[in-house]
Amino acid sequence: MKNPLLEPFEKAPFSKIKSEHFKPAFLQAIEDARAEINAIVENPEAPTFENTLEALDFSGQQLDRISSIFFNLNSAETNEEIQKIAQEVSPLLSEFSNDITLNQPLFERIKTVYGQRENLSLIPEQQTLLEKRYKSFSRNGANLNEADKKRLREIDAELSKLKLKFGENVLAETNKYEMLLSNEEDLKGLPEGSKEAAAQLAQSKDKEGWLITLDYPSYIPFMKYAENRALRKELSLAFGSKGFHNDALDNQENVLQIVALRHERANLLGYATHAHFVLEERMAETPEKVLEFLNELLEKAKPAAEREFAELEAFAKELDGIAHLEKWDSAYYSEKLKQKLFNLDDEKLKPYFKLENVISGVFQVAEKLFGLTFKEVFNVDKYHDEVKTYEVYEDSGNFVSLFYADFHPRPGKRGGAWMTSYKPQYTLNGKNSRPHVSNVCNFTKPTTSKPSLLTFNEVTTLFHEFGHALHGMLANTVYPGLSGTSVYWDFVELPSQVMENWCYEKEALELFAFHYETGELIPMELVEKIKESATFQEGMATIRQLSFGFLDMAWHGSDPSDIKNVKDYETKAFESTALFPDTAETCMSTSFSHIFQGGYSSGYYSYKWAEVLDADAFAYFKEKGIFNKEIAYRFKEHVLSKGGTENPMELYKRFRGSEPKIDALLERAGLLETKD
Ligand SMILES: [Zn+2]
């Protein structure tokens, strides 16, 4: 019996694949990839760029394609069988990739080529590939002596245990807490849907009344809408004190150990701090530059934040006689003030954003900017009937990419929206092999009486993910390892975020924002309101993001050996950004999973960094015309098509003519004007 995953295929052969094909395909493809790497290592010829770096980048292609099909399905159309296979193959895959990083003879070959790099007349893309591969070994200890290597492995093992424990504690704390309400009066202000959910939750646990928990779908509506201030306070303090109760689930010691081990690891590898280690492979480059960036934004945003805080406090005083605004008042009064100022709800906007119209809109934008046309095709294999497939062509008639679009929720699909690919772009033997790119979203399904109508937030999400897709589709590189979205972490959101800007522009909305029943164009005063409400309390929101960035840098940008008390240290890190009075019961660090469990350590700043980039890039379009072909060409030529082939700052400067400045973001966020 033939396994379709082990036959050569161009497009993913979804209709032929059965779940039982995956495991044997993975095993075979891993074995084949190992053999390819062994062949590189055992090559009797002296190492060269071609026989080592190039060979390595083009190795394991079948394995990559099987992995992308499998893990994309596990996100978009999974079932118990697939999930079980994922449990089984994930350790095999990480073992395989560890075996590569720890393959000393392979590293010796790469190191030899790296040592000759000045004399090899490599093109920039090749230099980048060489540097990237060399670093992937050296940053993992390949250059250390045996004793240091051993210590590094110990640290890595210890860190992965601590990070796991940190996350388990946060989860256990989240699940442990319950606020059971028996008096309906206590839920006053909550929307019906949230009340129902709270009642159902209580019922599911055999309890009478309404149950509120620290899970976001329960916590957020309560903080936003519940009129009972004492209960908001109780819930807020519970949320803010996760991992901070001096009990078995406390995370203070874990925080201190994680930062100490990260610091030691960085030192072993020759870096001053963990932040220096991380930022070496980021556009921001150094902790000094990150701090300079955060401080510059702080200086600009603080006056606006203080003004907004005073405004909110005055509003709360006027409404309910609140003398001092506390953390648990913030979401509640902000929501009330926002309603008062804008009276803009999703239901008003949705009729103008029929899904088919928005898709047509984003395609038209791509055509006007980059000369792309999208032709729906019906002969491409797909994993579900709802998936749409398109062939994408350039002006010249050249085939650019295959594009899959999967828009609606299903039981086997995880939440959220994302871009992914089934095949990377690369150039091999002179042939430019084009990519297969996919967008997956969770937009409301059409019914028999109503089409799928998007909220404005969903419209920007669609443009955002489509921006990532363009980054993949327009890729034009040689090596698959540097193609498309394979770029530095703090650069990858530029193509996606910049696309969102078109959603606020009259010229773009005129292409697609028509009422689904009357065909009437969206009224421009509604568009103005959308714009204004988008920057509502932007100063406070900015300060909040900055505070997390400062806290992250405080933990990772200096020697932590003198830190004794987690809460005290955190309070100091928050000093410059604090708006609300501090509460002794709470601690952010002990549940800051982004940086202590996930991959955001020394990277929290990148949310704001990406905003600066996209605002600065879009300002260029605004200046020359949002459909200006020349600017669009520069963006395609220097950013979208280049993937990770060169330093992103160099790419950006070639597009923009200068480094990004924060002014455009400040202007867009309304942080420049002084209101009276
Ligand atoms: Zn994104």
Side-chain angles (χ1 to χ4, degrees):
M1 204 184 74
K2 280 187 176 170
N3 188 328
L5 290 166
L6 290 169
E7 303 287 310
F9 55 83
E10 167 64 15
K11 296 172 189 126
F14 292 113
S15 66
K16 297 198 195 97
I17 304 171
K18 296 194 173 61
S19 299
E20 63 258 34
H21 289 134
F22 281 112
K23 183 86 181 280
F26 270 117
L27 291 173
Q28 183 64 50
I30 289 176
E31 199 177 308
D32 294 347
R34 263 189 222 285
E36 289 176 65
I37 287 171
N38 286 342
I40 297 170
V41 173
E42 284 157 19
N43 189 338
E45 285 168 36
T48 64
F49 183 84
E50 287 72 23
N51 75 19
T52 303
L53 277 306
E54 199 164 283
L56 183 60
D57 206 53
F58 281 105
S59 74
Q61 281 195 314
Q62 190 77 2
L63 179 59
D64 288 344
R65 297 221 50 195
I66 296 168
S67 296
S68 68
I69 292 175
F70 178 77
F71 288 103
N72 288 335
L73 282 183
N74 194 30
S75 298
E77 182 64 12
T78 194
N79 54 46
E80 277 180 23
E81 236 179 316
I82 300 240
Q83 284 165 344
K84 193 170 155 270
I85 299 168
Q87 298 284 342
E88 288 168 19
V89 301
S90 294
L92 300 177
L93 290 168
S94 47
E95 188 190 306
F96 172 66
S97 75
N98 284 340
D99 286 351
I100 297 181
T101 338
L102 299 177
N103 188 328
Q104 202 64 27
L106 179 60
F107 176 63
E108 294 306 330
R109 287 187 73 94
I110 294 172
K111 195 174 175 178
T112 304
V113 181
Y114 188 73
Q116 302 161 349
R117 65 191 181 285
E118 306 296 339
N119 309 318
L120 295 175
S121 39
L122 300 173
I123 59 167
E125 178 168 356
Q126 294 172 322
Q127 290 168 18
T128 304
L129 187 71
L130 177 56
E131 180 101 359
K132 184 173 168 175
R133 286 293 162 262
Y134 176 80
K135 288 267 171 63
S136 73
F137 285 83
S138 69
R139 288 166 61 85
N140 244 307
N143 278 322
L144 298 181
N145 64 40
E146 285 312 310
D148 285 349
K149 254 186 202 156
K150 186 165 164 281
R151 178 63 192 142
L152 195 77
R153 300 291 154 242
E154 284 167 10
I155 293 175
D156 284 343
E158 190 59 26
L159 269 174
S160 62
K161 264 194 263 170
L162 284 166
K163 280 155 70 176
L164 205 64
K165 184 74 193 131
F166 183 96
E168 284 169 5
N169 286 350
V170 174
L171 187 66
E173 286 276 83
T174 307
N175 292 337
K176 200 172 93 176
Y177 179 86
E178 288 180 346
M179 187 164 83
L180 185 65
L181 303 173
S182 51
N183 185 352
E184 194 168 357
E185 191 67 7
D186 289 338
L187 292 110
K188 212 167 156 211
L190 280 185
E192 273 315 307
S194 304
K195 272 165 87 170
E196 264 167 45
Q200 271 172 20
L201 193 61
Q203 222 171 37
S204 74
K205 297 196 170 181
D206 282 328
K207 288 180 177 157
E208 294 273 319
W210 295 265
L211 202 58
I212 305 296
T213 69
L214 299 181
D215 278 325
Y216 281 104
S218 180
Y219 172 75
I220 299 282
F222 199 89
M223 295 310 295
K224 229 175 173 176
Y225 299 109
E227 290 179 14
N228 188 321
R229 193 183 189 210
L231 291 177
R232 285 204 315 268
K233 177 179 178 182
E234 185 186 323
L235 194 67
S236 163
L237 292 180
F239 192 89
S241 59
K242 284 182 282 184
F244 191 55
H245 294 119
N246 294 309
D247 56 9
L249 299 176
D250 193 283
N251 266 336
Q252 292 173 80
E253 195 48 41
N254 291 332
V255 166
L256 293 175
Q257 282 188 39
I258 289 172
V259 295
L261 286 169
R262 282 176 173 165
H263 187 70
E264 187 188 344
R265 189 185 196 281
N267 287 170
L268 262 181
L269 291 169
Y271 299 87
T273 68
H274 178 68
H276 286 88
F277 169 76
V278 171
L279 292 165
E280 180 188 57
E281 298 206 312
R282 299 286 158 87
M283 192 175 176
E285 290 180 320
T286 62
E288 292 74 22
K289 262 181 108 168
V290 170
L291 285 174
E292 193 187 311
F293 168 74
L294 294 174
N295 277 314
E296 193 182 358
L297 265 176
L298 174 65
E299 192 192 316
K300 296 286 164 43
K302 199 157 185 187
E306 282 168 347
R307 202 166 57 228
E308 289 160 8
F309 183 84
E311 186 187 15
L312 191 64
E313 196 163 51
F315 177 70
K317 188 166 191 177
E318 182 195 309
L319 211 62
D320 292 328
I322 304 285
H324 294 290
L325 210 57
E326 301 279 355
K327 280 180 198 160
W328 42 91
D329 299 317
S330 171
Y332 179 77
Y333 288 105
S334 291
E335 181 62 26
K336 286 238 177 315
L337 182 59
K338 192 173 179 183
Q339 276 171 16
K340 185 185 151 193
L341 291 176
F342 302 106
N343 184 27
L344 188 69
D345 66 52
D346 283 340
E347 297 312 311
K348 275 201 191 108
L349 298 171
K350 275 163 79 172
Y352 296 98
F353 297 118
K354 186 171 122 179
L355 176 63
E356 287 74 11
N357 292 347
V358 181
I359 296 169
S360 150
V362 82
F363 285 172
Q364 288 179 71
V365 169
E367 181 172 6
K368 280 175 168 289
L369 290 172
F370 309 115
L372 300 177
T373 48
F374 293 76
K375 183 177 154 217
E376 184 164 11
V377 288
F378 302 93
N379 58 352
V380 173
D381 236 11
K382 42 200 198 182
Y383 55 88
H384 194 280
D385 275 349
E386 283 175 4
V387 177
K388 291 177 186 297
T389 49
Y390 301 86
E391 285 172 357
V392 188
Y393 293 92
E394 265 172 352
D395 277 342
S396 55
N398 284 344
F399 175 70
V400 171
S401 173
L402 191 61
F403 179 52
Y404 299 81
D406 178 4
F407 289 118
H408 303 297
R410 286 186 300 271
K413 195 193 271 191
R414 71 172 162 86
W418 62 95
M419 168 269 189
T420 179
S421 86
Y422 288 100
K423 179 190 167 300
Q425 176 275 337
Y426 53 83
T427 308
L428 188 59
N429 303 324
K431 187 181 172 283
N432 193 328
S433 180
R434 301 307 307 167
H436 302 166
V437 171
S438 170
N439 272 169
V440 187
C441 309
N442 276 285
F443 300 144
T444 321
K445 259 181 137 162
T447 63
T448 42
S449 60
K450 233 184 196 176
S452 170
L453 301 175
L454 306 190
T455 64
F456 188 71
N457 192 27
E458 289 174 327
V459 175
T460 56
T461 299
L462 192 148
F463 272 70
H464 178 106
E465 296 309 330
F466 188 76
H468 284 307
L470 284 173
H471 203 182
M473 290 192 264
L474 292 171
N476 197 13
T477 66
V478 178
Y479 303 107
L482 301 175
S483 181
T485 53
S486 310
V487 299
Y488 283 169
W489 182 311
D490 51 2
F491 193 59
V492 75
E493 295 299 330
L494 167 63
S496 52
Q497 288 185 187
V498 79
M499 283 305 291
E500 294 181 33
N501 289 285
W502 273 266
C503 302
Y504 298 87
E505 295 297 321
K506 182 168 174 281
E507 262 182 282
L509 289 165
E510 279 171 358
L511 299 171
F512 68 94
F514 301 108
H515 196 285
Y516 79 104
E517 286 172 322
T518 65
E520 173 213 8
L521 180 67
I522 189 168
M524 284 308 132
E525 59 267 27
L526 269 185
V527 179
E528 279 311 311
K529 267 194 178 183
I530 296 172
K531 275 193 195 177
E532 272 180 51
S533 69
T535 61
F536 173 65
Q537 289 188 344
E538 189 69 20
M540 278 165 72
T542 301
I543 292 280
R544 193 178 132 84
Q545 283 289 100
L546 293 178
S547 73
F548 299 155
F550 278 118
L551 183 60
D552 176 22
M553 292 309 289
W555 282 120
H556 297 113
S558 55
D559 182 348
S561 44
D562 290 335
I563 306 172
K564 297 282 173 284
N565 185 302
V566 173
K567 170 77 179 174
D568 288 349
Y569 191 68
E570 169 178 305
T571 308
K572 225 173 79 211
F574 277 158
E575 229 165 46
S576 62
T577 52
L579 288 171
F580 292 88
D582 185 38
T583 38
E585 301 95 314
T586 60
C587 181
M588 161 94 194
S589 299
T590 53
S591 64
F592 199 176
S593 301
H594 262 78
I595 64 166
F596 291 119
Q597 183 196 4
Y600 271 84
S601 63
S602 315
Y604 206 92
Y605 76 91
S606 54
Y607 286 109
K608 274 287 157 208
W609 182 272
E611 280 182 46
V612 166
L613 289 182
D614 97 70
D616 188 66
F618 191 67
Y620 200 18
F621 280 98
K622 283 284 272 187
E623 184 191 323
K624 306 275 183 193
I626 66 162
F627 291 120
N628 184 301
K629 288 245 192 251
E630 194 211 319
I631 308 301
Y633 175 80
R634 294 175 73 99
F635 194 62
K636 175 181 152 187
E637 190 58 21
H638 301 305
V639 176
L640 294 175
S641 71
K642 286 290 189 294
T645 56
E646 284 181 67
N647 182 304
M649 189 61 94
E650 292 309 312
L651 294 178
Y652 190 85
K653 284 196 296 200
R654 239 172 273 157
F655 153 65
R656 187 65 166 103
S658 58
E659 289 200 6
K661 296 184 222 37
I662 69 168
D663 308 47
L665 174 68
L666 297 175
E667 193 182 330
R668 186 175 74 187
L671 296 176
L672 283 181
E673 62 199 306
T674 37
K675 288 181 202 159
D676 46 313

